[in-house]
CSV table of all heavy atoms in Angstrom, one decimal:
chain,number,residue,atom,x,y,z
A,105,ILE,N,-9.5,-12.2,-0.6
A,105,ILE,CA,-8.6,-12.5,0.5
A,105,ILE,C,-7.3,-11.8,0.4
A,105,ILE,O,-6.7,-11.7,-0.7
A,105,ILE,CB,-8.4,-14.0,0.6
A,105,ILE,CG1,-9.8,-14.7,0.9
A,105,ILE,CG2,-7.4,-14.4,1.6
A,105,ILE,CD1,-9.7,-16.2,0.8
A,106,CYS,N,-6.8,-11.3,1.5
A,106,CYS,CA,-5.6,-10.6,1.5
A,106,CYS,C,-4.9,-10.7,2.9
A,106,CYS,O,-5.5,-11.4,3.8
A,106,CYS,CB,-5.7,-9.1,1.2
A,106,CYS,SG,-6.7,-8.1,2.4
A,107,GLY,N,-3.8,-10.2,3.1
A,107,GLY,CA,-3.1,-10.3,4.4
A,107,GLY,C,-3.7,-9.4,5.5
A,107,GLY,O,-4.5,-8.5,5.2
A,108,PRO,N,-3.4,-9.7,6.7
A,108,PRO,CA,-4.1,-9.1,7.8
A,108,PRO,C,-3.8,-7.6,8.0
A,108,PRO,O,-4.5,-6.9,8.6
A,108,PRO,CB,-3.5,-9.9,9.1
A,108,PRO,CG,-2.2,-10.4,8.6
A,108,PRO,CD,-2.4,-10.7,7.2
A,109,ASP,N,-2.6,-7.2,7.4
A,109,ASP,CA,-2.2,-5.8,7.5
A,109,ASP,C,-2.1,-5.1,6.2
A,109,ASP,O,-1.5,-4.0,6.1
A,109,ASP,CB,-0.9,-5.7,8.3
A,109,ASP,CG,-1.0,-6.3,9.7
A,109,ASP,OD1,-2.0,-6.1,10.3
A,109,ASP,OD2,0.0,-6.9,10.1
A,110,ASP,N,-2.6,-5.7,5.1
A,110,ASP,CA,-2.6,-5.1,3.8
A,110,ASP,C,-3.6,-4.0,3.8
A,110,ASP,O,-4.6,-3.9,4.5
A,110,ASP,CB,-3.0,-6.2,2.7
A,110,ASP,CG,-1.9,-7.2,2.5
A,110,ASP,OD1,-0.8,-7.0,3.0
A,110,ASP,OD2,-2.2,-8.2,1.8
A,111,ASP,N,-3.4,-3.0,2.8
A,111,ASP,CA,-4.3,-2.0,2.6
A,111,ASP,C,-5.7,-2.5,2.2
A,111,ASP,O,-5.7,-3.5,1.4
A,111,ASP,CB,-3.8,-1.0,1.5
A,111,ASP,CG,-2.6,-0.2,2.0
A,111,ASP,OD1,-2.3,-0.2,3.2
A,111,ASP,OD2,-1.9,0.4,1.1
A,112,VAL,N,-6.7,-1.9,2.6
A,112,VAL,CA,-8.1,-2.2,2.2
A,112,VAL,C,-8.5,-1.1,1.2
A,112,VAL,O,-8.5,0.1,1.5
A,112,VAL,CB,-9.0,-2.3,3.4
A,112,VAL,CG1,-10.5,-2.3,2.9
A,112,VAL,CG2,-8.8,-3.6,4.2
A,113,GLU,N,-9.0,-1.5,0.0
A,113,GLU,CA,-9.4,-0.6,-1.0
A,113,GLU,C,-10.8,-0.2,-0.9
A,113,GLU,O,-11.7,-1.1,-0.7
A,113,GLU,CB,-9.2,-1.2,-2.4
A,113,GLU,CG,-7.7,-1.5,-2.7
A,113,GLU,CD,-7.6,-2.1,-4.1
A,113,GLU,OE1,-8.6,-2.3,-4.8
A,113,GLU,OE2,-6.4,-2.4,-4.5
A,114,ILE,N,-11.1,1.1,-0.9
A,114,ILE,CA,-12.5,1.6,-1.1
A,114,ILE,C,-12.8,1.5,-2.6
A,114,ILE,O,-12.1,2.1,-3.4
A,114,ILE,CB,-12.6,3.0,-0.7
A,114,ILE,CG1,-12.1,3.3,0.8
A,114,ILE,CG2,-14.1,3.5,-0.8
A,114,ILE,CD1,-12.8,2.6,1.9
A,115,PRO,N,-13.7,0.6,-3.0
A,115,PRO,CA,-13.9,0.3,-4.4
A,115,PRO,C,-14.4,1.5,-5.2
A,115,PRO,O,-15.0,2.4,-4.6
A,115,PRO,CB,-14.9,-0.8,-4.4
A,115,PRO,CG,-15.7,-0.7,-3.2
A,115,PRO,CD,-14.7,-0.1,-2.2
A,116,ARG,N,-14.2,1.5,-6.5
A,116,ARG,CA,-14.7,2.6,-7.4
A,116,ARG,C,-16.2,2.6,-7.2
A,116,ARG,O,-16.9,1.5,-7.3
A,116,ARG,CB,-14.3,2.3,-8.8
A,116,ARG,CG,-12.9,2.4,-9.1
A,116,ARG,CD,-12.6,2.3,-10.6
A,116,ARG,NE,-11.2,2.3,-10.9
A,116,ARG,CZ,-10.7,2.2,-12.2
A,116,ARG,NH1,-11.6,2.0,-13.2
A,116,ARG,NH2,-9.4,2.2,-12.4
A,117,GLY,N,-16.8,3.7,-7.0
A,117,GLY,CA,-18.2,3.9,-6.9
A,117,GLY,C,-18.7,3.5,-5.5
A,117,GLY,O,-19.9,3.7,-5.2
A,118,GLY,N,-17.8,3.1,-4.6
A,118,GLY,CA,-18.2,2.8,-3.2
A,118,GLY,C,-18.4,4.0,-2.4
A,118,GLY,O,-17.6,4.9,-2.4
A,119,ALA,N,-19.5,4.1,-1.7
A,119,ALA,CA,-19.8,5.2,-0.8
A,119,ALA,C,-20.1,4.8,0.6
A,119,ALA,O,-20.3,5.7,1.5
A,119,ALA,CB,-21.0,6.0,-1.4
A,120,LYS,N,-20.3,3.5,0.8
A,120,LYS,CA,-20.7,3.0,2.1
A,120,LYS,C,-19.9,1.8,2.6
A,120,LYS,O,-20.5,0.8,2.9
A,120,LYS,CB,-22.2,2.7,2.1
A,120,LYS,CG,-23.1,3.9,1.8
A,120,LYS,CD,-24.6,3.5,1.8
A,120,LYS,CE,-25.4,4.8,1.5
A,120,LYS,NZ,-26.9,4.5,1.5
A,121,THR,N,-18.6,1.9,2.5
A,121,THR,CA,-17.7,0.8,2.9
A,121,THR,C,-17.6,0.7,4.4
A,121,THR,O,-17.5,1.7,5.1
A,121,THR,CB,-16.3,1.0,2.2
A,121,THR,OG1,-16.5,1.1,0.8
A,121,THR,CG2,-15.4,-0.2,2.5
A,122,ASP,N,-17.8,-0.6,4.9
A,122,ASP,CA,-18.0,-0.8,6.3
A,122,ASP,C,-17.1,-1.9,6.8
A,122,ASP,O,-16.5,-2.6,6.0
A,122,ASP,CB,-19.5,-1.3,6.5
A,122,ASP,CG,-20.1,-1.0,7.9
A,122,ASP,OD1,-19.3,-0.7,8.8
A,122,ASP,OD2,-21.3,-1.1,8.0
A,123,TRP,N,-17.0,-2.0,8.1
A,123,TRP,CA,-16.1,-3.0,8.8
A,123,TRP,C,-16.9,-4.1,9.5
A,123,TRP,O,-18.1,-3.8,9.9
A,123,TRP,CB,-15.3,-2.2,9.8
A,123,TRP,CG,-16.1,-1.5,10.8
A,123,TRP,CD1,-16.7,-1.9,11.9
A,123,TRP,CD2,-16.4,-0.1,10.7
A,123,TRP,NE1,-17.4,-0.9,12.6
A,123,TRP,CE2,-17.2,0.2,11.8
A,123,TRP,CE3,-16.1,1.0,9.8
A,123,TRP,CZ2,-17.7,1.5,12.1
A,123,TRP,CZ3,-16.6,2.2,10.1
A,123,TRP,CH2,-17.4,2.5,11.2
A,124,GLU,N,-16.4,-5.2,9.7
A,124,GLU,CA,-17.0,-6.3,10.5
A,124,GLU,C,-15.9,-7.2,11.0
A,124,GLU,O,-15.4,-8.0,10.2
A,124,GLU,CB,-18.0,-7.1,9.6
A,124,GLU,CG,-19.2,-6.3,9.1
A,124,GLU,CD,-20.3,-7.2,8.5
A,124,GLU,OE1,-20.2,-8.4,8.7
A,124,GLU,OE2,-21.1,-6.7,7.8
A,125,VAL,N,-15.6,-7.2,12.3
A,125,VAL,CA,-14.7,-8.1,12.9
A,125,VAL,C,-15.4,-9.5,13.1
A,125,VAL,O,-16.6,-9.5,13.6
A,125,VAL,CB,-14.1,-7.6,14.2
A,125,VAL,CG1,-15.2,-7.3,15.2
A,125,VAL,CG2,-13.1,-8.6,14.8
A,126,GLU,N,-14.8,-10.6,12.7
A,126,GLU,CA,-15.5,-11.9,12.7
A,126,GLU,C,-14.5,-13.0,13.1
A,126,GLU,O,-13.3,-12.9,12.7
A,126,GLU,CB,-16.1,-12.2,11.4
A,126,GLU,CG,-17.1,-11.1,10.9
A,126,GLU,CD,-18.1,-11.6,9.9
A,126,GLU,OE1,-18.1,-12.8,9.5
A,126,GLU,OE2,-18.9,-10.8,9.4
A,127,LEU,N,-15.0,-14.0,13.8
A,127,LEU,CA,-14.2,-15.2,14.0
A,127,LEU,C,-14.2,-16.1,12.7
A,127,LEU,O,-15.3,-16.4,12.2
A,127,LEU,CB,-14.8,-16.0,15.2
A,127,LEU,CG,-14.2,-17.4,15.5
A,127,LEU,CD1,-12.7,-17.2,15.9
A,127,LEU,CD2,-15.0,-18.1,16.5
A,128,GLY,N,-13.0,-16.4,12.2
A,128,GLY,CA,-12.9,-17.3,11.1
A,128,GLY,C,-12.6,-18.7,11.5
A,128,GLY,O,-11.8,-18.9,12.5
A,129,VAL,N,-13.3,-19.6,10.9
A,129,VAL,CA,-13.1,-21.1,11.2
A,129,VAL,C,-12.5,-21.7,10.0
A,129,VAL,O,-13.0,-21.6,8.9
A,129,VAL,CB,-14.5,-21.7,11.5
A,129,VAL,CG1,-14.3,-23.2,11.8
A,129,VAL,CG2,-15.1,-21.1,12.7
Side-chain angles (χ1 to χ4, degrees):
I105 293 172
C106 64
D109 302 324
D110 289 348
D111 291 347
V112 165
E113 297 180 359
I114 308 294
R116 292 185 185 181
K120 299 180 179 181
T121 302
D122 205 346
W123 56 82
E124 296 189 16
V125 58
E126 306 200 0
L127 174 65
V129 178

